[in-house]
Amino acid sequence: VSDYLIYSKTNKRSYVRDTILSNHLIRGLNLGLIANLRLADLEKYKLDRLNQKVKGSTINRELAFGKAYLIML
């Protein structure tokens, strides 16, 4: 994620927001390797965040950040 945040800092106005989103994803998904990521992990993440009273739009932004990061790999 640090490589993507370097890109974000130099190319995007949303760097601060990207940093916050990445922190939530890293803690929430708790993955050792991206290769271990499964659909069930994403669904559990969404449910956990909803149980924390986070709005659906925020969760979508967090997942969109994760998708952008995966595309940059």
Side-chain angles (χ1 to χ4, degrees), residues 2 5-6 8 14 16 23 27 29 31 33 35 37 40-41 48 50-51 54 58-59 63 70:
S2 61
L5 289 176
I6 291 169
S8 177
S14 62
V16 173
N23 288 335
R27 283 183 297 184
L29 289 175
L31 294 173
L33 296 172
L37 183 64
D41 297 325
D48 290 345
L50 285 171
N51 288 334
V54 176
T58 301
I59 298 167
L63 294 175
L70 290 173

Side-chain angles (χ1 to χ4, degrees), residues 9-65:
K9 187 173 186 176
T10 57
N11 295 295
K12 297 174 65 182
R13 292 185 301 171
S14 62
Y15 168 71
V16 173
R17 183 71 175 146
D18 287 349
T19 303
I20 294 167
L21 296 174
S22 69
N23 288 335
H24 285 292
L25 277 175
I26 290 169
R27 283 183 297 184
L29 289 175
N30 196 19
L31 294 173
L33 296 172
I34 295 295
N36 295 337
L37 183 64
R38 301 173 315 182
L39 180 59
D41 297 325
L42 296 174
E43 293 301 320
K44 182 181 180 310
Y45 175 78
K46 290 192 303 188
L47 286 174
D48 290 345
R49 294 293 283 155
L50 285 171
N51 288 334
Q52 295 171 7
K53 306 296 185 212
V54 176
K55 290 183 179 180
S57 59
T58 301
I59 298 167
N60 286 340
R61 286 185 189 96
E62 292 168 353
L63 294 175
F65 172 84

